[in-house]
Amino acid sequence: MKYRTRVCAAVALTAAATLTAPAAASSETLPSDAPTITMTVTNDTDAPMVLGTASIPYGQWVNEPATVVPAHTTEVVTAGSADRRGFGMQVTYTMPGEATAVLMASNHGTGIANADGTRIDGANRHAYTAAAQVDAHFPFMNVTYTIGDRSS
């Protein structure tokens, strides 16, 4: 590659990084006076988990779910809501062999924050495990999910 071509490529990459940086940097912040949910998702399997769906009907993402959660890594997903009564959310990840990890979180002031409904679905559901632990309750819910191989 010629020097002039390298310089032009470097300038183009710098310009692209400058244009995309504000979008990444403008992520929302967690509200300090309204309900929030922080999901810590640990993929304790030997395969990547691929995002299927992410639903948050009465809130907004602060840190959206990653498209892929690589094997043996952890992902943090956060959301907040202006609805002071609370909100819920669902994130699904597809797994090898036709399995889906369904991660549920419900953070409402009228009941105990919970991860009820968290499960593994699909034809290969018996190959994986899903465990959920709620560490903090309404209004600032923290929940940890661990997806594992059943053979482990």
PDB file of all heavy atoms in Angstrom, residues 41-55:
ATOM      1  N   VAL A  41     -25.802 -11.250  32.755  1.00  0.00           N
ATOM      2  CA  VAL A  41     -25.995 -12.528  32.072  1.00  0.00           C
ATOM      3  C   VAL A  41     -24.645 -13.200  31.888  1.00  0.00           C
ATOM      4  O   VAL A  41     -23.775 -12.659  31.214  1.00  0.00           O
ATOM      5  CB  VAL A  41     -26.661 -12.320  30.694  1.00  0.00           C
ATOM      6  CG1 VAL A  41     -26.881 -13.647  29.986  1.00  0.00           C
ATOM      7  CG2 VAL A  41     -27.956 -11.532  30.831  1.00  0.00           C
ATOM      8  N   THR A  42     -24.477 -14.376  32.493  1.00  0.00           N
ATOM      9  CA  THR A  42     -23.239 -15.134  32.354  1.00  0.00           C
ATOM     10  C   THR A  42     -23.488 -16.341  31.471  1.00  0.00           C
ATOM     11  O   THR A  42     -24.368 -17.161  31.766  1.00  0.00           O
ATOM     12  CB  THR A  42     -22.705 -15.593  33.725  1.00  0.00           C
ATOM     13  OG1 THR A  42     -22.440 -14.424  34.508  1.00  0.00           O
ATOM     14  CG2 THR A  42     -21.439 -16.411  33.585  1.00  0.00           C
ATOM     15  N   ASN A  43     -22.740 -16.426  30.384  1.00  0.00           N
ATOM     16  CA  ASN A  43     -22.801 -17.580  29.486  1.00  0.00           C
ATOM     17  C   ASN A  43     -21.724 -18.551  29.948  1.00  0.00           C
ATOM     18  O   ASN A  43     -20.559 -18.396  29.610  1.00  0.00           O
ATOM     19  CB  ASN A  43     -22.571 -17.154  28.042  1.00  0.00           C
ATOM     20  CG  ASN A  43     -22.577 -18.334  27.087  1.00  0.00           C
ATOM     21  OD1 ASN A  43     -22.774 -19.479  27.483  1.00  0.00           O
ATOM     22  ND2 ASN A  43     -22.358 -18.053  25.813  1.00  0.00           N
ATOM     23  N   ASP A  44     -22.116 -19.528  30.722  1.00  0.00           N
ATOM     24  CA  ASP A  44     -21.178 -20.513  31.260  1.00  0.00           C
ATOM     25  C   ASP A  44     -21.200 -21.793  30.419  1.00  0.00           C
ATOM     26  O   ASP A  44     -21.053 -22.890  30.945  1.00  0.00           O
ATOM     27  CB  ASP A  44     -21.541 -20.806  32.719  1.00  0.00           C
ATOM     28  CG  ASP A  44     -20.387 -21.401  33.495  1.00  0.00           C
ATOM     29  OD1 ASP A  44     -19.243 -21.249  33.047  1.00  0.00           O
ATOM     30  OD2 ASP A  44     -20.641 -22.036  34.538  1.00  0.00           O
ATOM     31  N   THR A  45     -21.423 -21.625  29.112  1.00  0.00           N
ATOM     32  CA  THR A  45     -21.441 -22.761  28.195  1.00  0.00           C
ATOM     33  C   THR A  45     -20.219 -22.689  27.290  1.00  0.00           C
ATOM     34  O   THR A  45     -19.461 -21.717  27.324  1.00  0.00           O
ATOM     35  CB  THR A  45     -22.710 -22.773  27.317  1.00  0.00           C
ATOM     36  OG1 THR A  45     -22.635 -21.709  26.354  1.00  0.00           O
ATOM     37  CG2 THR A  45     -23.969 -22.610  28.153  1.00  0.00           C
ATOM     38  N   ASP A  46     -20.073 -23.697  26.454  1.00  0.00           N
ATOM     39  CA  ASP A  46     -18.961 -23.727  25.492  1.00  0.00           C
ATOM     40  C   ASP A  46     -19.348 -23.160  24.137  1.00  0.00           C
ATOM     41  O   ASP A  46     -18.589 -23.282  23.173  1.00  0.00           O
ATOM     42  CB  ASP A  46     -18.456 -25.170  25.331  1.00  0.00           C
ATOM     43  CG  ASP A  46     -17.803 -25.686  26.598  1.00  0.00           C
ATOM     44  OD1 ASP A  46     -17.204 -24.869  27.338  1.00  0.00           O
ATOM     45  OD2 ASP A  46     -17.889 -26.906  26.863  1.00  0.00           O
ATOM     46  N   ALA A  47     -20.522 -22.553  24.030  1.00  0.00           N
ATOM     47  CA  ALA A  47     -21.003 -22.015  22.753  1.00  0.00           C
ATOM     48  C   ALA A  47     -21.493 -20.585  22.944  1.00  0.00           C
ATOM     49  O   ALA A  47     -21.903 -20.203  24.042  1.00  0.00           O
ATOM     50  CB  ALA A  47     -22.142 -22.888  22.234  1.00  0.00           C
ATOM     51  N   PRO A  48     -21.472 -19.788  21.881  1.00  0.00           N
ATOM     52  CA  PRO A  48     -22.000 -18.426  21.984  1.00  0.00           C
ATOM     53  C   PRO A  48     -23.522 -18.432  22.088  1.00  0.00           C
ATOM     54  O   PRO A  48     -24.192 -19.339  21.606  1.00  0.00           O
ATOM     55  CB  PRO A  48     -21.550 -17.763  20.680  1.00  0.00           C
ATOM     56  CG  PRO A  48     -21.382 -18.894  19.730  1.00  0.00           C
ATOM     57  CD  PRO A  48     -20.950 -20.077  20.545  1.00  0.00           C
ATOM     58  N   MET A  49     -24.066 -17.411  22.732  1.00  0.00           N
ATOM     59  CA  MET A  49     -25.506 -17.179  22.783  1.00  0.00           C
ATOM     60  C   MET A  49     -25.785 -16.004  21.847  1.00  0.00           C
ATOM     61  O   MET A  49     -25.131 -14.965  21.941  1.00  0.00           O
ATOM     62  CB  MET A  49     -25.960 -16.853  24.202  1.00  0.00           C
ATOM     63  CG  MET A  49     -25.686 -17.943  25.193  1.00  0.00           C
ATOM     64  SD  MET A  49     -26.358 -17.740  26.880  1.00  0.00           S
ATOM     65  CE  MET A  49     -26.468 -16.011  27.159  1.00  0.00           C
ATOM     66  N   VAL A  50     -26.756 -16.176  20.956  1.00  0.00           N
ATOM     67  CA  VAL A  50     -27.076 -15.155  19.950  1.00  0.00           C
ATOM     68  C   VAL A  50     -28.414 -14.526  20.310  1.00  0.00           C
ATOM     69  O   VAL A  50     -29.402 -15.235  20.553  1.00  0.00           O
ATOM     70  CB  VAL A  50     -27.122 -15.777  18.537  1.00  0.00           C
ATOM     71  CG1 VAL A  50     -27.496 -14.725  17.499  1.00  0.00           C
ATOM     72  CG2 VAL A  50     -25.784 -16.423  18.192  1.00  0.00           C
ATOM     73  N   LEU A  51     -28.443 -13.196  20.340  1.00  0.00           N
ATOM     74  CA  LEU A  51     -29.656 -12.471  20.700  1.00  0.00           C
ATOM     75  C   LEU A  51     -30.797 -12.838  19.767  1.00  0.00           C
ATOM     76  O   LEU A  51     -30.659 -12.790  18.547  1.00  0.00           O
ATOM     77  CB  LEU A  51     -29.401 -10.962  20.649  1.00  0.00           C
ATOM     78  CG  LEU A  51     -30.564 -10.065  21.060  1.00  0.00           C
ATOM     79  CD1 LEU A  51     -30.918 -10.270  22.531  1.00  0.00           C
ATOM     80  CD2 LEU A  51     -30.211  -8.612  20.801  1.00  0.00           C
ATOM     81  N   GLY A  52     -31.922 -13.212  20.367  1.00  0.00           N
ATOM     82  CA  GLY A  52     -33.128 -13.496  19.591  1.00  0.00           C
ATOM     83  C   GLY A  52     -34.046 -12.285  19.616  1.00  0.00           C
ATOM     84  O   GLY A  52     -34.234 -11.600  18.627  1.00  0.00           O
ATOM     85  N   THR A  53     -34.608 -11.997  20.795  1.00  0.00           N
ATOM     86  CA  THR A  53     -35.488 -10.846  20.954  1.00  0.00           C
ATOM     87  C   THR A  53     -35.149 -10.107  22.242  1.00  0.00           C
ATOM     88  O   THR A  53     -34.569 -10.674  23.160  1.00  0.00           O
ATOM     89  CB  THR A  53     -36.970 -11.272  21.019  1.00  0.00           C
ATOM     90  OG1 THR A  53     -37.158 -12.121  22.154  1.00  0.00           O
ATOM     91  CG2 THR A  53     -37.406 -11.991  19.757  1.00  0.00           C
ATOM     92  N   ALA A  54     -35.535  -8.860  22.281  1.00  0.00           N
ATOM     93  CA  ALA A  54     -35.375  -8.046  23.488  1.00  0.00           C
ATOM     94  C   ALA A  54     -36.599  -7.142  23.572  1.00  0.00           C
ATOM     95  O   ALA A  54     -36.816  -6.308  22.706  1.00  0.00           O
ATOM     96  CB  ALA A  54     -34.092  -7.224  23.417  1.00  0.00           C
ATOM     97  N   SER A  55     -37.401  -7.347  24.610  1.00  0.00           N
ATOM     98  CA  SER A  55     -38.659  -6.632  24.728  1.00  0.00           C
ATOM     99  C   SER A  55     -38.717  -5.872  26.047  1.00  0.00           C
ATOM    100  O   SER A  55     -38.479  -6.442  27.116  1.00  0.00           O
ATOM    101  CB  SER A  55     -39.811  -7.643  24.669  1.00  0.00           C
ATOM    102  OG  SER A  55     -41.034  -7.004  24.921  1.00  0.00           O
TER     103      SER A  55
END
